[in-house]
Structure formats: C-alpha cells, structure tokens
Amino acid sequence: MNIEFNKNEDVNKQLVYELKTKLKKIYQGGGEKNAAKQKEKGKLLARERIAYLIDKDSNFLEVGAFTADGMYAEQGGCPSAGVVCGIGYVSGRQCMIVANDATVKAGAWFPMTAKKNLRAQEIAMENRLPVIYLVDSAGVYLPMQDEIFPDKEHFGRMFRNNAIMSAEGIVQISAIMGACVAGGAYLPIMSDEAMIVDKTGSVFLAGSYLVKSAIGEDVDNETLGGATTHCEISGVTDYKHPNDQACLDSIRNIMSMLGSPQVAGFDRIKPLKPKHNEEELYGIIPDSRDKPYEVMEVINRLIDGSEFEEYKQGYGQSIVCGLGRIDGWAVGIVANQRTVVKSKKGEMQFGGVIYSDSADKAARFIMNCNQKKIPLVFLQDVTGFMVGSRSEHGGIIKDGAKMVNAVANSVVPKFTIVMGNSYGAGNYAMCGKAYDPRLIYAWPTAKIAVMGGAQAAKTLLQIQEASLKSKGEEISAEKEAELLKEITDKYNSQTTPYYAASRLWVDGIIDPLETRKVISMGIEAANQSPVTRKFNVGMIQT
C-alpha cells in the first residue's frame, strides 16, 4: 500500500466515523426527557418497537434516517422527520415498516414527514411489499399546515395510497400504539387490518377538547376513542392488546400466515464474497473529488468473486458497463470511470465525464439488461456530459438523450449508489432520484449539485458583481475574495450528502461496506414484484 492509499483510508474512515456519530444522535429522537415520558406510559419507543417486531439477527434497511436533518430549527428540529421507516423481515417476510416517533413533537407530521411516508409507500408499492404501520402521532403540525395539507404530494396522498395498495392486494397492517388524531385516523383504518393497544392507543376524528368546543359534549378520550370503544362498540379496530409487546407479537403471527408472493424471477445463485478485500474501498476512493481513480478497483470489491463480464471494454471508456453478481444476484453495472482514458480515435477523455461513445454504449447495455431481465446498478461519480464545439458537432445531445431515454424507460429495477460527484445532467443519465431507482443511497464522499462548487461559485460571483456594478458600486479585490468565499461556502454546504439526505434526494447515507447489503435487500424486495411492462427501445435504435 502506498502513501496515497493510506491517506485516502484515513480520510474515508474519518468520514464513516462522522456518519456513525451523526446517526447515534439521530437515533435518540426527541431526547431522553421525552423518551422517559413515553416509558412512563408503558410504551416502547419507535426504534424499540421495530427491533422487537423484526426477526432476530435479521437486517433492517432504514430509509430516510437523515430526513429533515438541519431543518425546522425554529420549531426545535425534527430528527428523522419524526418517523422511522425501513425494510425489515417479519416472520421471514420482507416488508416496509413505518413507525411514528412520539418523542419528536408527539409524532406530529411536518412537511418532510409526509414526504418520507410517501417515499416509504412508494417503495412498498413498487416492490409489492406488505406495509406495517406502528401509529403514534398527534397528527398534522398545525403551524405548518399550509405546507402539508392540500397538495397532491401532501398528507392526503397517503390515504389515497392506502386505498390503491389495498385494491392491488398489497397487505397493510396498522397498530394504534398511541394517539391517532383527525386526518391521521384514516391511515390505520384504511389499512386492511387495525389493532389497538389498550389504555395507550386511541383513535378519533376530534379529541375531547375539540368535541367540547364544537358540540358541547363532555367526554374523556378513552371513552371517545379508546381500545374498548373501537373493539367492542364501534367495530373500527379488529384486535385489542394489553401492551405493545402483545400487539407486535400479533403482527408477527399474522405475517407468518401470508401466502407466498409472486416472484419476478431475477437470477440468484449461492453468494460469494469478493476476492478483493472490501475494506480496501476506503483507500481507493480519493480524499478529494477532483482526483482520478480506477473504478474497476471499486467494482472488484463489490461483486461476488470479483468476477466481471465487461461490455464493450475498448469502446466508450468513460463509462464501464458489465455483468456480475452481488450477494448471488445477477446485476448489470453502469459505472463512471474516473481515470483519464483514450478514446477509440486516440483522443484523451477526462474521468467522470460522459462522452458520446460512452453514452451510446451505456444505452445499449441498459437495453440488453432489460431484454435479459437483469437488475441494474448505477455507481455514480459523474461531473456531467462533455461540452465544447467538438462534442456538440459530434451529437452529444443526441447520444445523451439516448442514454436518458434508456434509463427512463427501463423496466427492470434500478439501484443507484452515489459514490462521489453527481453533477448536472450526469445525475439524470446515471439514474438520479428523478429516474425512479428502487433505492438510492450515498456514500459519505458524495456531492450532489448542478455543478462543482468552484465553477458554480465563480459563475454566481460574476452575476453578483454585475448586479453591484449596475448600481455603481466598485468592488475591491478584498471584497471580491470575501464574496467568493461566502458564495463557495454556502454552495458547498448544499452539495453534501447530508443536505441531500435531509431532503430525501437520496434514501440515506451508508458506509461503503454496506453497499452489497443495500443492493441485495433491494433486489430481494424487487423480486416480489413481477415485471409486467415491456422495455421501449425508442430512440436507442436510432
């Protein structure tokens, strides 16, 4: 190992340490004081409920742990958007679990809470995963109701999804384990089955105070909408349980009796570990996003046996395409090459840039994977498409459109890992969030933006200088340097993986060593949803 490798390893291990430290803080939810209040009521916390529910020693793939991170400061913050979501195994069956965290603003719904819940439902619908809702929420956070209530992708969309999933035979089970108020009452009751915990669970359209205000009736919450009321009088809920544990045991029992899902038929054989040491990923990824590296060094540490069938190896070399296996699953890999390479004409090509020939190659490879019913994995480290007169004359827009068309029309499941840069149209062509990857996760080294910080800052500075000069203001060299630093710092803060994860542009940030697990669990989920559409070749044949 050389000095550069050791330097990279130190930097990347530090980034992973920072990631795990941030996650530990997020896992605390609303803090010890609020957690103690829940415990006094005899309730388990949201993450404790999930840990109790899922199969012992099984994996849980969290979605959106960093959602709302750094947002809602004026409201006191909202860790994980007040809800824990993820794919877990219950009685051997993979499912989506959604658990309100009552330690965060009593589980109230912020705008990002709705977005996160909709993302969880989207994953469940795409993969036909059963959904388990562990409900404990005070409902919409009223001071921000205008940002969560009426629009197409706001609060009400969840209930629409409840109805759609039931109609499509996707099982939904809800457990009312705390408050369940107003519009939020529809989510568990629109599920296929609803159970409630005695004394702590309650569900009603209006609580006792609002009832008193609206119609003058004096009634306590337990009589209004407690477990006895809804299991013995209204018939709204189906099962009553004495505590959280009994309720969760009941869910496990029901899940154990589900019929087997139809399968898509993606190929899987006995998994193998990569021949190359996975931990060497830390030393391979450079300490700077501007430095080159050989992407095959990464691929060889992600695929089974480090065996890779490369497609068109000598053509379009700024993108590497090929077939391999991850945890036994057959996959087609599309990865940005970060070294400087020679084109077929002997021209030098910059690493991380998509050229016409590489876009054409990738489009055709994606088409082949669709014909063979092989899931696709995109490894992003892209600065965008090549610009300049030579590229424009060579039809870069046409070839780029072919690749985007192929990604957009792909019917096999797609999985995206943002390893490094994810800039501009390169984000789109390499299956960014807008192109419906089943899962999209980032490494701590990721950067997501329209362009790199240095280029963007200089462009923004020119615009700002022009604006000041139009007002007759002169700019000194010191002022220009100050402005450039201010713009650069602000722009760079918006390109971090944490900024992206807080807004759900990615489903989460992971240690690179978790990449194989994420992709394997994702394909396992996708395998429960047969591919019914045909791939539209469209522009790719032109």
Side-chain angles (χ1 to χ4, degrees):
M1 301 299 175
N2 57 34
I3 294 174
E4 193 69 24
F5 183 98
N6 293 335
K7 182 181 177 183
N8 293 341
E9 187 176 44
D10 289 343
V11 168
N12 287 311
K13 283 186 174 180
Q14 179 62 32
L15 289 175
V16 170
Y17 173 78
E18 290 171 5
L19 166 65
K20 292 179 178 178
T21 301
K22 286 175 182 285
L23 283 171
K24 283 180 182 178
K25 185 176 180 181
I26 282 173
Y27 293 163
Q28 293 172 2
E32 291 182 8
K33 188 179 291 185
N34 289 328
K37 289 179 182 177
Q38 298 299 312
K39 292 286 191 179
E40 286 170 9
K41 299 174 184 178
K43 296 160 66 175
L44 296 173
L45 305 180
R47 292 183 183 278
E48 291 176 340
R49 287 168 176 166
I50 292 173
Y52 186 95
L53 177 65
I54 62 175
D55 297 345
K56 187 178 180 181
D57 298 325
S58 66
N59 286 321
F60 178 70
L61 178 57
E62 186 161 354
V63 173
F66 284 101
T67 307
D69 182 49
M71 301 173 70
Y72 309 126
E74 292 181 5
Q75 292 76 26
C78 189
S80 277
V83 62
V84 184
C85 304
I87 300 172
Y89 298 85
V90 179
S91 297
R93 183 69 174 266
Q94 213 178 33
C95 55
M96 173 60 70
I97 303 169
V98 179
N100 297 114
D101 186 350
T103 70
V104 180
K105 296 290 190 294
W109 291 70
F110 283 68
M112 286 306 299
T113 316
K115 184 173 183 179
K116 182 172 176 178
N117 274 264
L118 290 174
R119 175 58 178 153
Q121 288 183 324
E122 179 184 42
I123 292 170
M125 293 167 80
E126 285 179 329
N127 300 293
R128 298 191 62 82
L129 294 179
V131 188
I132 298 170
Y133 303 102
L134 307 180
V135 186
D136 194 344
S137 171
V140 168
Y141 184 69
L142 289 177
M144 303 185 79
Q145 64 85 27
D146 62 318
E147 298 180 47
I148 187 174
F149 171 64
D151 210 347
K152 180 179 178 180
E153 294 188 349
H154 282 177
F155 195 56
R157 187 75 172 183
M158 290 182 303
F159 314 137
R160 175 262 188 195
N161 288 348
N162 287 144
I164 295 295
M165 282 191 276
S166 285
E168 292 184 357
I170 300 171
V171 173
Q172 298 171 88
I173 301 172
S174 283
I176 300 164
M177 311 182 84
C180 188
V181 186
Y186 286 102
L187 185 144
I189 309 310
M190 290 190 72
S191 299
D192 303 303
E193 290 181 290
M195 51 190 66
I196 187 168
V197 178
D198 196 19
K199 300 296 185 272
T200 55
S202 59
V203 55
F204 32 64
L205 295 182
S208 57
Y209 293 126
L210 183 54
V211 168
K212 174 68 174 177
S213 173
I215 64 173
E217 180 186 1
D218 282 311
V219 62
D220 62 86
N221 281 339
E222 187 64 27
T223 302
L224 185 65
T228 299
T229 293
H230 286 310
C231 284
E232 299 177 21
I233 299 174
S234 72
V236 166
T237 51
D238 307 308
Y239 307 90
K240 180 170 75 170
H241 297 291
N243 52 47
D244 283 8
Q245 290 87 342
C247 185
L248 297 168
D249 287 338
S250 179
I251 294 174
R252 290 182 55 80
N253 189 44
I254 292 170
M255 288 295 296
S256 73
M257 301 184 193
L258 262 60
S260 298
Q262 291 184 334
V263 294
F266 303 126
D267 188 65
R268 191 183 198 187
I269 61 174
K270 184 178 179 180
L272 293 174
K273 286 282 189 183
K275 283 184 181 176
H276 296 275
N277 186 354
E278 293 174 70
E279 292 199 5
E280 290 175 356
L281 287 169
Y282 296 136
I284 292 166
I285 301 299
D287 63 332
S288 167
R289 301 286 64 76
D290 300 325
K291 292 182 179 179
Y293 63 92
E294 171 57 63
V295 78
M296 276 306 306
E297 294 295 321
V298 173
I299 293 172
N300 282 332
R301 286 157 181 82
L302 295 178
I303 57 175
D304 291 14
S306 302
E307 295 178 0
F308 189 64
E309 190 71 34
E310 188 168 354
Y311 175 76
K312 290 185 181 288
Q313 184 176 7
Y315 176 74
Q317 294 179 72
S318 71
I319 288 183
V320 171
C321 300
L323 302 175
R325 291 186 182 274
I326 292 179
D327 199 33
W329 295 103
V331 296
I333 294 175
V334 181
N336 301 112
Q337 177 60 279
R338 286 308 311 270
T339 60
V340 177
V341 296
K342 275 189 179 181
S343 74
K344 60 184 181 294
K345 297 177 182 177
E347 299 163 348
M348 301 307 292
Q349 295 187 347
F350 298 103
V353 180
I354 301 176
Y355 291 79
S356 284
D357 53 0
S358 49
D360 174 68
K361 176 173 86 170
R364 294 179 183 277
F365 177 73
I366 291 166
M367 177 179 68
N368 290 347
C369 287
N370 273 268
Q371 289 176 330
K372 296 180 178 75
K373 204 161 72 171
I374 298 174
L376 287 158
V377 173
F378 292 83
L379 302 178
Q380 281 195 12
D381 194 346
V382 57
T383 52
F385 285 89
M386 190 59 189
V387 297
S389 60
R390 178 177 291 179
S391 292
E392 298 295 355
H393 296 170
I396 185 67
I397 296 175
K398 179 186 69 175
D399 290 319
K402 287 181 187 178
M403 184 175 176
V404 171
N405 182 281
V407 174
N409 280 295
S410 177
V411 298
V412 295
K414 304 175 296 246
F415 303 89
T416 302
I417 303 295
V418 185
M419 305 186 303
N421 299 326
S422 181
Y423 293 158
N427 170 281
Y428 303 156
M430 290 295 293
C431 198
K433 185 69 179 292
Y435 288 80
D436 297 324
R438 296 291 178 97
L439 295 172
I440 175 170
Y441 280 82
W443 288 358
T445 47
K447 285 189 175 294
I448 302 174
V450 171
M451 62 179 76
Q455 302 95 313
K458 287 174 184 176
T459 304
L460 292 168
L461 178 63
Q462 288 171 5
I463 295 169
Q464 196 161 335
E465 285 180 335
S467 175
L468 291 170
K469 285 178 181 177
S470 70
K471 297 174 185 177
E473 295 182 32
E474 289 296 324
I475 302 170
S476 65
E478 292 79 8
K479 178 65 174 176
E480 183 179 274
E482 184 183 324
L483 277 173
L484 182 61
K485 184 179 185 307
E486 182 183 322
I487 294 169
T488 302
D489 289 347
K490 181 180 179 182
Y491 190 89
N492 284 339
S493 72
Q494 295 176 350
T495 69
T496 71
Y498 297 101
Y499 191 90
S502 71
R503 288 150 182 81
L504 270 178
W505 300 346
V506 295
D507 292 319
I509 307 169
I510 58 170
D511 182 337
L513 301 185
E514 294 180 295
T515 304
R516 281 169 53 85
K517 180 192 83 172
V518 168
I519 293 169
S520 178
M521 287 185 68
I523 299 176
E524 183 181 350
N527 200 40
Q528 298 181 54
S529 180
V531 177
T532 55
R533 292 188 300 122
K534 287 187 177 180
F535 179 68
N536 178 15
V537 175
M539 294 169 58
I540 300 168
Q541 291 184 331
T542 63

